Amino acid sequence: MQSKLFTDVLYFHLKKAFDSVSHDKLLVKVATYGISGDLYQWILTFLHDRKQAVRVDDILSSFINVTSGVPQRSVLGPTLFLLFINDVCDIFGDLNVMCKLYADDLKLYHL
């Protein structure tokens, strides 16, 4: 500010992105990070055979299989989400743009 230079900053909140993470693609990324064996199986089991239903008042819909999304309100969910999006900053590698990730927030700025 003292040198009177401008900085452009864009903020993205990716909360809804938690719901759109493909389990199959996430497992591929998990494997590319070198996660294998029992830990990989544990993550697979954590994601596999999840079901959801909707309740309105006292009426519950039928359960359907969930094939995308990382479980929110869990310790592992945000970690898996970060593994999934961790390489998003690579997109801006050839540009003069700085990229910062924190949980489900993305900040891009140019000096």
Side-chain angles (χ1 to χ4, degrees), residues 1-68:
M1 287 178 37
Q2 290 174 341
S3 61
K4 307 219 187 288
L5 296 175
F6 291 96
T7 301
D8 299 316
V9 180
L10 293 172
Y11 289 94
F12 295 93
H13 183 66
L14 305 171
K15 183 173 175 129
K16 294 293 182 187
F18 269 76
D19 299 330
S20 62
V21 173
S22 162
H23 290 173
D24 292 336
K25 291 177 183 176
L26 174 59
L27 290 168
V28 168
K29 281 210 167 180
V30 164
T32 63
Y33 280 104
I35 298 171
S36 60
D38 289 342
L39 181 56
Y40 180 86
Q41 279 303 126
W42 184 70
I43 294 171
L44 176 67
T45 302
F46 180 72
L47 295 172
H48 182 70
D49 204 25
R50 298 187 79 84
K51 299 189 182 305
Q52 71 181 19
V54 176
R55 179 184 302 275
V56 177
D57 294 327
D58 291 332
I59 302 170
L60 183 67
S61 71
S62 8
F63 282 86
I64 61 167
N65 290 329
V66 177
T67 59
S68 65

Coordinates of all heavy atoms in Angstrom, one line a residue, residues 1-68:
M1 N 0.8 -1.2 0.0 CA 0.0 0.0 0.0 C 0.9 1.3 0.0 O 0.5 2.2 -0.6 CB -1.0 0.0 1.2 CG -2.1 -1.0 1.0 SD -3.2 -1.2 2.4 CE -3.5 0.4 3.0
Q2 N 2.0 1.2 0.7 CA 2.9 2.4 0.7 C 3.4 2.7 -0.6 O 3.6 3.9 -1.0 CB 4.0 2.2 1.8 CG 3.5 2.2 3.2 CD 4.6 1.8 4.2 OE1 5.6 1.3 3.8 NE2 4.4 2.2 5.4
S3 N 3.7 1.7 -1.4 CA 4.2 1.9 -2.8 C 3.1 2.2 -3.8 O 3.4 2.3 -5.0 CB 5.1 0.7 -3.2 OG 4.3 -0.4 -3.2
K4 N 1.9 2.2 -3.3 CA 0.7 2.5 -4.2 C 0.5 1.5 -5.3 O 0.1 1.9 -6.4 CB 0.8 3.9 -4.7 CG 1.0 4.9 -3.5 CD 0.2 6.2 -3.8 CE 0.5 7.2 -2.8 NZ 0.0 7.1 -1.5
L5 N 0.8 0.2 -5.1 CA 0.6 -0.8 -6.1 C -0.7 -1.5 -5.9 O -1.2 -1.6 -4.7 CB 1.7 -1.8 -6.1 CG 3.1 -1.4 -6.4 CD1 4.1 -2.5 -6.2 CD2 3.2 -0.9 -7.8
F6 N -1.3 -1.9 -6.9 CA -2.6 -2.6 -6.8 C -2.4 -4.1 -6.8 O -1.5 -4.6 -7.4 CB -3.5 -2.3 -8.1 CG -4.0 -0.8 -8.1 CD1 -3.3 0.1 -8.8 CD2 -5.1 -0.5 -7.4 CE1 -3.7 1.4 -8.9 CE2 -5.5 0.9 -7.4 CZ -4.8 1.8 -8.1
T7 N -3.3 -4.8 -6.1 CA -3.3 -6.2 -6.0 C -4.7 -6.7 -6.3 O -5.7 -6.2 -5.7 CB -2.9 -6.8 -4.6 OG1 -1.6 -6.3 -4.4 CG2 -2.9 -8.3 -4.6
D8 N -4.8 -7.6 -7.3 CA -6.1 -8.2 -7.6 C -6.2 -9.5 -6.8 O -5.3 -10.3 -6.8 CB -6.2 -8.5 -9.1 CG -6.1 -7.3 -10.0 OD1 -6.8 -6.3 -9.6 OD2 -5.4 -7.3 -11.0
V9 N -7.3 -9.7 -6.1 CA -7.5 -10.9 -5.3 C -8.9 -11.5 -5.6 O -9.9 -10.8 -5.7 CB -7.5 -10.6 -3.8 CG1 -7.7 -11.9 -3.0 CG2 -6.1 -10.0 -3.5
L10 N -9.0 -12.8 -5.9 CA -10.2 -13.5 -6.0 C -10.3 -14.6 -4.9 O -9.4 -15.3 -4.7 CB -10.3 -14.2 -7.4 CG -10.4 -13.4 -8.6 CD1 -10.2 -14.2 -9.9 CD2 -11.7 -12.6 -8.7
Y11 N -11.5 -14.6 -4.3 CA -11.7 -15.7 -3.3 C -12.8 -16.6 -3.8 O -13.9 -16.1 -4.3 CB -12.2 -15.0 -2.0 CG -11.1 -14.3 -1.2 CD1 -11.0 -12.9 -1.4 CD2 -10.3 -14.9 -0.4 CE1 -10.0 -12.2 -0.8 CE2 -9.3 -14.2 0.3 CZ -9.1 -12.9 0.1 OH -8.2 -12.2 0.8
F12 N -12.6 -17.9 -3.6 CA -13.6 -18.9 -3.9 C -13.9 -19.7 -2.7 O -13.0 -20.2 -2.0 CB -13.1 -19.8 -5.0 CG -12.9 -19.1 -6.3 CD1 -11.7 -18.6 -6.7 CD2 -13.9 -18.9 -7.2 CE1 -11.4 -18.0 -7.9 CE2 -13.7 -18.3 -8.5 CZ -12.5 -17.8 -8.8
H13 N -15.2 -19.9 -2.4 CA -15.6 -20.8 -1.3 C -16.2 -22.0 -2.0 O -17.1 -22.0 -2.7 CB -16.6 -20.1 -0.4 CG -17.0 -20.9 0.8 ND1 -16.1 -21.2 1.8 CD2 -18.2 -21.5 1.1 CE1 -16.7 -22.0 2.7 NE2 -18.0 -22.2 2.3
L14 N -15.5 -23.2 -1.7 CA -15.9 -24.4 -2.4 C -16.7 -25.4 -1.6 O -16.7 -26.6 -1.9 CB -14.6 -25.1 -2.8 CG -13.6 -24.3 -3.6 CD1 -12.2 -25.0 -3.7 CD2 -14.1 -23.9 -5.0
K15 N -17.6 -24.9 -0.7 CA -18.3 -25.8 0.2 C -19.2 -26.8 -0.6 O -19.2 -27.9 -0.3 CB -19.2 -24.9 1.1 CG -20.0 -25.8 2.1 CD -20.7 -25.0 3.1 CE -21.5 -26.0 3.9 NZ -21.4 -25.9 5.3
K16 N -19.9 -26.3 -1.6 CA -20.7 -27.2 -2.4 C -19.9 -28.3 -3.2 O -20.4 -29.3 -3.5 CB -21.6 -26.4 -3.4 CG -22.6 -25.6 -2.7 CD -23.7 -26.4 -2.0 CE -24.7 -25.5 -1.4 NZ -25.6 -26.2 -0.5
A17 N -18.6 -28.0 -3.4 CA -17.7 -28.9 -4.1 C -17.5 -30.2 -3.3 O -17.3 -31.2 -3.9 CB -16.4 -28.2 -4.4
F18 N -17.7 -30.1 -2.0 CA -17.6 -31.3 -1.1 C -18.5 -32.4 -1.7 O -18.2 -33.6 -1.6 CB -18.0 -31.0 0.3 CG -16.8 -30.6 1.2 CD1 -16.2 -29.3 1.1 CD2 -16.3 -31.5 2.1 CE1 -15.2 -29.0 1.9 CE2 -15.2 -31.1 2.9 CZ -14.7 -29.9 2.8
D19 N -19.7 -32.0 -2.1 CA -20.7 -33.0 -2.5 C -20.5 -33.5 -3.9 O -21.2 -34.5 -4.3 CB -22.1 -32.3 -2.5 CG -22.5 -31.8 -1.1 OD1 -22.1 -32.4 -0.2 OD2 -23.2 -30.8 -1.0
S20 N -19.6 -32.9 -4.7 CA -19.5 -33.4 -6.1 C -18.2 -34.2 -6.4 O -17.9 -34.5 -7.5 CB -19.5 -32.1 -7.0 OG -18.4 -31.3 -6.7
V21 N -17.4 -34.5 -5.4 CA -16.2 -35.3 -5.5 C -16.6 -36.7 -5.9 O -17.2 -37.4 -5.1 CB -15.3 -35.2 -4.3 CG1 -14.2 -36.1 -4.4 CG2 -14.9 -33.8 -4.0
S22 N -16.2 -37.1 -7.1 CA -16.4 -38.5 -7.5 C -15.6 -39.5 -6.7 O -14.3 -39.3 -6.5 CB -16.0 -38.7 -9.0 OG -15.8 -40.0 -9.3
H23 N -16.2 -40.5 -6.1 CA -15.4 -41.5 -5.3 C -14.4 -42.2 -6.1 O -13.3 -42.4 -5.6 CB -16.4 -42.5 -4.6 CG -17.3 -41.9 -3.6 ND1 -18.3 -42.6 -3.0 CD2 -17.3 -40.7 -3.0 CE1 -18.9 -41.8 -2.1 NE2 -18.3 -40.7 -2.1
D24 N -14.7 -42.5 -7.3 CA -13.8 -43.3 -8.2 C -12.5 -42.4 -8.5 O -11.4 -42.9 -8.4 CB -14.4 -43.7 -9.5 CG -15.5 -44.8 -9.3 OD1 -15.4 -45.5 -8.3 OD2 -16.4 -44.9 -10.1
K25 N -12.8 -41.1 -8.8 CA -11.7 -40.2 -9.1 C -10.8 -39.9 -7.9 O -9.6 -39.8 -7.9 CB -12.2 -38.9 -9.8 CG -12.7 -39.2 -11.2 CD -13.3 -37.9 -11.8 CE -13.9 -38.2 -13.1 NZ -14.5 -37.0 -13.7
L26 N -11.5 -39.8 -6.8 CA -10.8 -39.6 -5.5 C -9.9 -40.7 -5.2 O -8.8 -40.5 -4.8 CB -11.8 -39.3 -4.4 CG -11.2 -39.2 -3.0 CD1 -10.3 -38.0 -2.9 CD2 -12.4 -39.0 -2.0
L27 N -10.4 -41.9 -5.3 CA -9.6 -43.1 -5.0 C -8.3 -43.2 -5.9 O -7.3 -43.6 -5.5 CB -10.4 -44.4 -5.1 CG -11.4 -44.5 -4.0 CD1 -12.4 -45.6 -4.3 CD2 -10.7 -44.7 -2.6
V28 N -8.5 -42.8 -7.2 CA -7.3 -42.7 -8.1 C -6.3 -41.7 -7.6 O -5.1 -42.0 -7.5 CB -7.8 -42.4 -9.6 CG1 -6.6 -42.0 -10.4 CG2 -8.6 -43.5 -10.2
K29 N -6.8 -40.5 -7.2 CA -5.9 -39.5 -6.6 C -5.2 -40.0 -5.4 O -4.0 -39.8 -5.1 CB -6.6 -38.2 -6.4 CG -6.8 -37.4 -7.6 CD -6.8 -36.0 -7.3 CE -6.7 -35.2 -8.6 NZ -6.7 -33.8 -8.4
V30 N -6.0 -40.7 -4.5 CA -5.4 -41.2 -3.3 C -4.2 -42.1 -3.6 O -3.2 -42.1 -3.0 CB -6.5 -41.9 -2.4 CG1 -5.9 -42.8 -1.3 CG2 -7.4 -40.8 -1.8
A31 N -4.4 -43.0 -4.6 CA -3.4 -43.9 -5.0 C -2.2 -43.2 -5.6 O -1.1 -43.6 -5.3 CB -4.0 -44.9 -6.0
T32 N -2.4 -42.1 -6.3 CA -1.3 -41.4 -6.9 C -0.4 -40.7 -5.8 O 0.7 -40.4 -6.0 CB -1.7 -40.3 -7.9 OG1 -2.5 -39.4 -7.3 CG2 -2.4 -41.0 -9.1
Y33 N -1.0 -40.5 -4.6 CA -0.2 -40.0 -3.5 C 0.6 -41.0 -2.8 O 1.2 -40.8 -1.8 CB -1.1 -39.2 -2.5 CG -1.5 -37.8 -2.9 CD1 -2.7 -37.6 -3.5 CD2 -0.6 -36.8 -2.9 CE1 -3.1 -36.3 -3.9 CE2 -0.9 -35.5 -3.3 CZ -2.2 -35.3 -3.8 OH -2.5 -34.0 -4.2
G34 N 0.5 -42.3 -3.3 CA 1.2 -43.4 -2.7 C 0.5 -44.1 -1.6 O 1.1 -44.9 -0.9
I35 N -0.7 -43.8 -1.4 CA -1.5 -44.4 -0.3 C -2.0 -45.8 -0.8 O -2.6 -45.8 -1.9 CB -2.7 -43.5 0.1 CG1 -2.2 -42.2 0.7 CG2 -3.6 -44.3 1.1 CD1 -3.2 -41.2 1.0
S36 N -1.6 -46.8 -0.1 CA -1.9 -48.2 -0.6 C -2.1 -49.0 0.7 O -2.1 -48.6 1.8 CB -0.8 -48.7 -1.5 OG 0.4 -48.7 -0.7
G37 N -2.4 -50.3 0.4 CA -2.5 -51.3 1.5 C -3.7 -51.1 2.4 O -4.7 -50.7 1.9
D38 N -3.4 -51.3 3.7 CA -4.5 -51.2 4.6 C -5.2 -49.8 4.7 O -6.4 -49.6 4.8 CB -4.1 -51.6 6.0 CG -3.8 -53.1 6.2 OD1 -4.3 -53.8 5.3 OD2 -3.1 -53.4 7.1
L39 N -4.3 -48.7 4.6 CA -4.8 -47.4 4.6 C -5.8 -47.1 3.4 O -6.8 -46.5 3.6 CB -3.7 -46.4 4.7 CG -4.1 -44.9 4.8 CD1 -5.1 -44.6 6.0 CD2 -2.9 -44.0 4.8
Y40 N -5.3 -47.6 2.2 CA -6.2 -47.4 1.1 C -7.5 -48.1 1.2 O -8.6 -47.6 0.9 CB -5.4 -47.9 -0.2 CG -6.3 -47.7 -1.5 CD1 -6.2 -46.5 -2.2 CD2 -7.1 -48.7 -1.9 CE1 -7.0 -46.4 -3.3 CE2 -7.8 -48.6 -3.1 CZ -7.8 -47.4 -3.8 OH -8.5 -47.3 -4.9
Q41 N -7.4 -49.4 1.7 CA -8.6 -50.2 2.0 C -9.6 -49.5 3.0 O -10.8 -49.5 2.8 CB -8.3 -51.6 2.5 CG -7.9 -52.5 1.4 CD -9.0 -52.7 0.3 OE1 -8.7 -52.5 -0.9 NE2 -10.2 -53.0 0.7
W42 N -9.0 -48.9 4.0 CA -9.8 -48.2 5.0 C -10.5 -47.0 4.4 O -11.7 -46.8 4.6 CB -8.8 -47.7 6.1 CG -9.5 -47.1 7.3 CD1 -10.4 -47.7 8.2 CD2 -9.5 -45.7 7.6 NE1 -10.8 -46.8 9.1 CE2 -10.3 -45.5 8.8 CE3 -8.8 -44.6 7.1 CZ2 -10.5 -44.3 9.4 CZ3 -9.0 -43.4 7.7 CH2 -9.8 -43.3 8.9
I43 N -9.8 -46.2 3.5 CA -10.5 -45.1 2.8 C -11.6 -45.6 1.9 O -12.7 -45.1 1.8 CB -9.4 -44.3 2.1 CG1 -8.5 -43.6 3.1 CG2 -10.1 -43.2 1.2 CD1 -7.3 -42.9 2.5
L44 N -11.3 -46.7 1.2 CA -12.2 -47.3 0.3 C -13.5 -47.7 1.0 O -14.6 -47.4 0.6 CB -11.6 -48.5 -0.5 CG -12.5 -49.3 -1.4 CD1 -12.9 -48.5 -2.6 CD2 -11.8 -50.6 -1.8
T45 N -13.3 -48.4 2.2 CA -14.4 -48.8 3.0 C -15.2 -47.6 3.5 O -16.4 -47.6 3.6 CB -13.9 -49.7 4.1 OG1 -13.2 -50.8 3.6 CG2 -15.1 -50.2 5.0
F46 N -14.5 -46.5 3.9 CA -15.1 -45.3 4.4 C -16.1 -44.7 3.3 O -17.1 -44.2 3.6 CB -14.0 -44.3 4.8 CG -14.5 -43.0 5.3 CD1 -15.1 -42.9 6.6 CD2 -14.4 -41.8 4.5 CE1 -15.5 -41.7 7.1 CE2 -14.8 -40.6 5.0 CZ -15.4 -40.6 6.3
L47 N -15.7 -44.8 2.0 CA -16.5 -44.2 1.0 C -17.5 -45.1 0.4 O -18.6 -44.7 -0.1 CB -15.6 -43.7 -0.2 CG -14.6 -42.6 0.2 CD1 -13.6 -42.4 -1.0 CD2 -15.3 -41.3 0.5
H48 N -17.2 -46.4 0.5 CA -18.1 -47.5 -0.2 C -19.4 -47.7 0.5 O -19.5 -47.7 1.7 CB -17.3 -48.8 -0.3 CG -18.0 -49.9 -1.0 ND1 -18.2 -49.8 -2.4 CD2 -18.6 -51.0 -0.6 CE1 -18.9 -50.9 -2.7 NE2 -19.1 -51.6 -1.6
D49 N -20.4 -48.0 -0.3 CA -21.7 -48.4 0.2 C -22.4 -47.4 1.1 O -23.0 -47.7 2.1 CB -21.6 -49.8 0.9 CG -23.0 -50.5 0.9 OD1 -23.8 -50.2 0.0 OD2 -23.2 -51.3 1.7
R50 N -22.2 -46.1 0.8 CA -22.8 -45.0 1.6 C -24.2 -44.8 1.0 O -24.4 -44.9 -0.2 CB -22.0 -43.7 1.6 CG -20.6 -43.9 2.2 CD -19.9 -42.6 2.3 NE -20.4 -41.8 3.4 CZ -20.0 -41.9 4.7 NH1 -19.1 -42.8 5.0 NH2 -20.4 -41.2 5.6
K51 N -25.1 -44.5 1.8 CA -26.5 -44.3 1.4 C -27.0 -43.0 2.0 O -26.6 -42.6 3.1 CB -27.4 -45.5 1.8 CG -27.0 -46.8 1.1 CD -28.0 -47.9 1.3 CE -27.5 -49.2 0.8 NZ -27.2 -49.2 -0.6
Q52 N -28.0 -42.5 1.4 CA -28.7 -41.3 1.9 C -30.1 -41.3 1.7 O -30.6 -41.9 0.7 CB -28.0 -40.0 1.4 CG -28.3 -39.7 0.0 CD -27.7 -38.4 -0.5 OE1 -26.7 -37.9 0.1 NE2 -28.1 -37.8 -1.6
A53 N -30.8 -40.6 2.5 CA -32.3 -40.4 2.4 C -32.6 -39.0 2.8 O -31.8 -38.3 3.5 CB -33.0 -41.4 3.2
V54 N -33.8 -38.5 2.5 CA -34.3 -37.2 2.9 C -35.5 -37.4 3.8 O -36.4 -38.2 3.5 CB -34.6 -36.4 1.7 CG1 -35.2 -35.0 2.1 CG2 -33.4 -36.2 0.8
R55 N -35.5 -36.6 4.9 CA -36.6 -36.6 5.8 C -37.2 -35.2 5.8 O -36.6 -34.2 6.0 CB -36.2 -36.9 7.2 CG -37.3 -36.9 8.2 CD -36.9 -37.2 9.7 NE -36.2 -38.4 9.8 CZ -36.7 -39.6 10.0 NH1 -38.1 -39.7 10.1 NH2 -36.0 -40.7 10.2
V56 N -38.6 -35.2 5.6 CA -39.4 -34.0 5.7 C -40.4 -34.3 6.7 O -41.3 -35.2 6.5 CB -40.0 -33.6 4.4 CG1 -40.9 -32.4 4.5 CG2 -38.9 -33.3 3.3
D57 N -40.4 -33.6 7.8 CA -41.2 -33.9 9.0 C -41.0 -35.3 9.4 O -39.9 -35.7 9.7 CB -42.7 -33.5 8.7 CG -42.9 -32.0 8.5 OD1 -42.2 -31.2 9.2 OD2 -43.7 -31.6 7.7
D58 N -42.1 -36.1 9.3 CA -42.0 -37.6 9.7 C -41.9 -38.5 8.5 O -42.0 -39.7 8.7 CB -43.2 -38.0 10.6 CG -43.2 -37.3 11.9 OD1 -42.0 -37.0 12.4 OD2 -44.2 -37.1 12.5
I59 N -41.8 -38.0 7.4 CA -41.7 -38.8 6.1 C -40.3 -38.9 5.7 O -39.6 -38.0 5.5 CB -42.6 -38.2 5.0 CG1 -44.0 -38.0 5.5 CG2 -42.5 -39.0 3.8 CD1 -44.9 -37.2 4.6
L60 N -39.9 -40.2 5.5 CA -38.5 -40.5 5.1 C -38.5 -41.1 3.7 O -39.3 -42.0 3.4 CB -37.9 -41.5 6.0 CG -36.4 -41.9 5.8 CD1 -35.5 -40.7 6.0 CD2 -36.0 -43.0 6.7
S61 N -37.7 -40.5 2.8 CA -37.7 -41.1 1.4 C -36.9 -42.4 1.4 O -36.4 -42.8 2.4 CB -36.9 -40.1 0.5 OG -35.5 -40.1 0.8
S62 N -36.9 -43.1 0.3 CA -36.1 -44.3 0.2 C -34.7 -43.9 0.1 O -34.3 -42.9 -0.3 CB -36.5 -45.1 -1.0 OG -37.3 -44.5 -1.9
F63 N -33.8 -44.9 0.5 CA -32.4 -44.7 0.5 C -31.9 -44.9 -0.9 O -32.3 -45.8 -1.6 CB -31.7 -45.6 1.5 CG -31.9 -45.2 2.9 CD1 -33.0 -45.5 3.7 CD2 -30.9 -44.4 3.5 CE1 -33.1 -45.1 5.0 CE2 -31.0 -44.0 4.8 CZ -32.1 -44.4 5.6
I64 N -30.9 -44.1 -1.3 CA -30.2 -44.3 -2.5 C -28.7 -44.3 -2.3 O -28.2 -43.8 -1.3 CB -30.5 -43.1 -3.5 CG1 -30.0 -41.8 -3.0 CG2 -32.0 -43.1 -3.9 CD1 -30.0 -40.7 -4.0
N65 N -28.0 -45.0 -3.2 CA -26.5 -45.1 -3.1 C -25.9 -43.7 -3.4 O -26.3 -43.0 -4.2 CB -26.0 -46.1 -4.1 CG -26.3 -47.5 -3.7 OD1 -26.5 -47.8 -2.5 ND2 -26.5 -48.3 -4.7
V66 N -24.8 -43.4 -2.6 CA -24.1 -42.2 -2.8 C -22.8 -42.5 -3.5 O -22.0 -43.3 -2.9 CB -23.8 -41.5 -1.5 CG1 -23.0 -40.2 -1.7 CG2 -25.2 -41.1 -0.8
T67 N -22.5 -42.0 -4.7 CA -21.3 -42.3 -5.4 C -20.4 -41.1 -5.5 O -19.3 -41.2 -6.1 CB -21.6 -42.8 -6.8 OG1 -22.4 -41.7 -7.5 CG2 -22.4 -44.0 -6.8
S68 N -20.8 -40.0 -4.9 CA -19.9 -38.8 -4.9 C -20.0 -38.0 -3.6 O -21.0 -38.3 -2.9 CB -20.2 -37.9 -6.1 OG -21.5 -37.4 -5.9

